[in-house]
């Protein structure tokens, strides 16, 4: 990071004690076996109040410090403190910050195939997404896209299957969606747009006020635990399920490639290990906490409502039409989409036979 940028950060008052500490690798990577002191800053897209998703960033930083005996430390900053929440990618790409924790689908405007890194409507659950990323060629494919921008990404958190959003009135048919102003990012937003929704992309920390003031009619964030913390149940009543656009979204950590390549191999390996830990821990937190939060919401008057079969079927058809169009227009989308689709067919068949048949029996 450049000195000038450091001064700018300090000037905006962002935790100046840590920001003004030295950053980057000091000197050559390794000399005589001694590992260098490295101080990085991490921008995130998350409010600090969300201990789950901001926790993903924190897990990486905490574990890295422990694994390197405090020699490689990263300070995580809440959304907006270093850069605006939806500009984390740009900040990492430009080298204004070494690393960021965010959702890749905020940046589908740069390359629509980045949607696969997070979640595609009617795509993968968390378990399937991890299988695709780590063992199905997914991560290699996504890293190739990021390489074009001078960035390297690693999966670093998953929310599990999300809820289908908060609405001020009931939505029974596709026709009811027309003209609604809804906060929903990524490819899910593009599908909703085709169903007639006026799509808005707002960072998590701005959703409640927009709903409460009537700037939007509906919004999705994650699920009961986080949505309750954001107060979305205070601004709306109808809580839909399932979150068909995000069956198991991954959060990514993005690293400036030039900075990454300057790290000693030992730090790269520790970093990667910390991202695996964040990926597992965040999912466990959401899975463990959502049920209890859902009970509280329902007790407080939230009305749980399932999407109608008509809406789900139309949305699924629309999603795959959109994918086929994008694949025809964009070679980089096509290169990921076709093997993704084949992987999906195979893993769906396996899960339907085994895990889903078990779940259906055991929970009924
Ligand atoms: Ca969401």
């Amino acid at each position: 990071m450049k000195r000038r940028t450091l001064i700018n950060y300090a000037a905006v008052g962002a935790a100046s004690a840590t920001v003004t500490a030295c950053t980057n690798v000091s000197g050559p990577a390794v000399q005589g076996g001694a590992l260098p002191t490295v101080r990085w800053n991490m921008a995130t897209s998350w409010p600090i109040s969300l201990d789950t998703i901001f926790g993903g960033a924190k897990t990486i930083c905490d574990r890295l410090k422990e694994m390197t005996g405090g020699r490689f430390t990263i300070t995580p900053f809440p959304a907006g403190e270093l850069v605006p929440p939806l500009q984390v990618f740009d900040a990492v790409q430009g080298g204004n910050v070494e690393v960021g924790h965010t959702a890749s689908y905020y940046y589908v405007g740069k390359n629509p195939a980045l949607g696969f890194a997070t979640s595609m409507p009617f795509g993968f659950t968390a378990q399937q997404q991890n299988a695709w990323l780590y063992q199905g060629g997914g991560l290699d494919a996504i890293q190739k896209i990021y390489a074009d921008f001078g960035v390297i990404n690693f999966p670093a958190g998953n929310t599990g299957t999300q809820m289908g959003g908060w609405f001020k009135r009931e939505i029974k048919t596709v026709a009811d969606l027309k003209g609604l102003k809804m906060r929903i990012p990524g490819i899910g937003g593009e599908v909703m747009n085709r169903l007639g929704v006026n799509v808005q992309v707002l960072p998590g920390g701005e959703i409640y006020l927009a709903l409460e003031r009537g700037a939007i009619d509906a919004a999705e964030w994650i699920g009961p635990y986080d949505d309750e913390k954001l107060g979305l149940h205070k601004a709306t009543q109808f809580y839909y399920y399932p979150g068909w656009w995000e069956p198991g979204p991954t959060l990514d950590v993005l690293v400036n490639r030039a900075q990454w390549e300057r790290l000693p191999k030992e730090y790269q390996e520790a970093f990667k290990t910390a991202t695996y830990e964040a990926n597992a821990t965040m999912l466990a937190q959401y899975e463990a906490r959502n049920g209890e939060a859902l009970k509280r919401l329902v007790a407080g008057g939230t009305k749980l409502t399932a999407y109608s079969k008509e809406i789900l079927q139309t949305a699924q058809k629309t999603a795959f039409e959109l994918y086929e169009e994008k694949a025809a227009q964009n070679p980089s989308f096509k290169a990921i989409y076709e093997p993704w689709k084949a992987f999906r067919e195979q893993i769906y068949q396996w899960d339907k036979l085994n895990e889903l048949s078990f779940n259906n029996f055991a929970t009924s």
Side-chain angles (χ1 to χ4, degrees):
M1 188 187 298
K2 292 178 184 66
R3 187 79 202 157
R4 187 158 42 91
T5 328
L6 284 179
I7 293 162
N8 286 345
Y9 288 167
V12 297
S16 53
T18 45
V19 174
T20 50
C22 66
T23 60
N24 296 337
V25 178
S26 48
V30 185
Q31 283 180 332
L35 289 164
T37 298
V38 179
R39 301 276 179 265
W40 279 6
N41 289 319
M42 180 188 279
T44 76
S45 301
W46 326 120
I48 202 165
S49 60
L50 300 181
D51 58 332
T52 41
I53 200 161
F54 185 79
K58 205 170 165 298
T59 298
I60 295 170
C61 301
D62 290 349
R63 294 295 291 132
L64 208 47
K65 187 177 173 188
E66 287 163 1
M67 284 189 277
T68 65
R71 281 170 297 188
F72 182 11
T73 58
I74 305 181
T75 306
F77 287 87
E81 284 202 15
L82 296 183
V83 298
L86 304 183
Q87 287 175 29
V88 171
F89 181 136
D90 301 83
V92 172
Q93 183 188 3
N96 294 332
V97 65
E98 296 89 353
V99 57
H101 193 268
T102 189
S104 292
Y105 73 177
Y106 290 147
Y107 314 102
V108 289
K110 295 177 189 293
N111 186 326
L114 287 175
F116 290 98
T118 311
S119 188
M120 298 295 276
F122 302 98
F124 297 145
T125 62
Q127 185 158 287
Q128 294 167 343
Q129 175 80 354
N130 283 332
W132 177 69
L133 285 168
Y134 295 130
Q135 295 292 323
L139 181 55
D140 287 345
I142 301 295
Q143 285 183 338
K144 271 189 196 128
I145 298 176
Y146 272 114
D148 292 341
F149 297 92
V151 171
I152 185 166
N153 72 296
F154 300 96
N158 194 301
T159 69
T161 307
Q162 297 202 352
M163 285 292 282
W166 297 86
F167 291 78
K168 293 202 170 180
R169 56 180 171 80
E170 276 191 272
I171 304 296
K172 291 179 178 166
T173 64
V174 172
D176 292 337
L177 288 167
K178 287 199 179 18
L180 274 187
K181 275 192 212 157
M182 181 176 184
R183 181 272 175 195
I184 171 171
I187 307 287
E190 290 186 46
V191 174
M192 277 293 198
N193 179 260
R194 290 195 172 198
L195 300 179
V197 171
N198 179 346
V199 171
Q200 316 279 319
V201 181
L202 298 172
E206 294 175 21
I207 300 173
Y208 170 75
L209 269 187
L211 264 180
E212 201 261 336
R213 289 176 180 172
I216 53 177
D217 310 303
E220 69 86 51
W221 175 242
I222 289 177
Y225 183 80
D226 275 14
D227 293 3
E228 181 187 40
K229 283 200 172 229
L230 292 184
L232 306 187
H233 59 297
K234 293 176 190 161
T236 53
Q237 190 179 13
F238 299 101
Y239 198 18
Y240 275 76
Y241 64 92
W244 46 264
W245 50 88
E246 292 184 71
T250 299
L251 292 316
D252 275 297
V253 69
L254 311 183
V255 187
N256 179 283
R257 247 182 198 273
Q259 294 291 344
W260 176 255
E261 282 159 12
R262 291 184 64 195
L263 285 180
K265 177 82 175 153
E266 289 89 336
Y267 288 179
Q268 289 184 344
E269 291 304 314
F271 187 96
K272 282 193 259 182
T273 301
T275 65
Y276 272 97
E277 191 164 327
N279 206 29
T281 302
M282 190 193 293
L283 179 61
Q285 288 173 334
Y286 276 112
E287 288 294 290
R289 296 173 187 176
N290 273 330
E292 203 181 341
L294 186 65
K295 262 193 205 166
R296 284 193 300 268
L297 290 171
V298 171
T302 290
K303 290 191 166 56
L304 290 179
T305 319
Y307 276 111
S308 67
K309 203 166 181 184
E310 184 235 359
I311 292 179
L312 290 174
Q313 285 173 337
T314 309
Q316 181 166 249
K317 185 169 171 281
T318 305
F320 277 85
E321 284 166 2
L322 183 71
Y323 304 158
E324 296 294 335
E325 281 174 35
K326 283 187 186 294
Q329 292 159 1
N330 183 316
S332 121
F333 189 94
K334 188 179 179 189
I336 294 193
Y337 172 61
E338 288 187 345
W340 176 90
K341 195 177 164 191
F343 190 90
R344 178 182 180 274
E345 277 162 24
Q346 196 172 40
I347 204 164
Y348 269 29
Q349 280 175 28
W350 160 238
D351 282 354
K352 187 176 177 183
L353 175 85
N354 195 330
E355 186 168 354
L356 293 180
S357 66
F358 167 74
N359 278 344
N360 284 338
F361 173 78
T363 59
S364 63

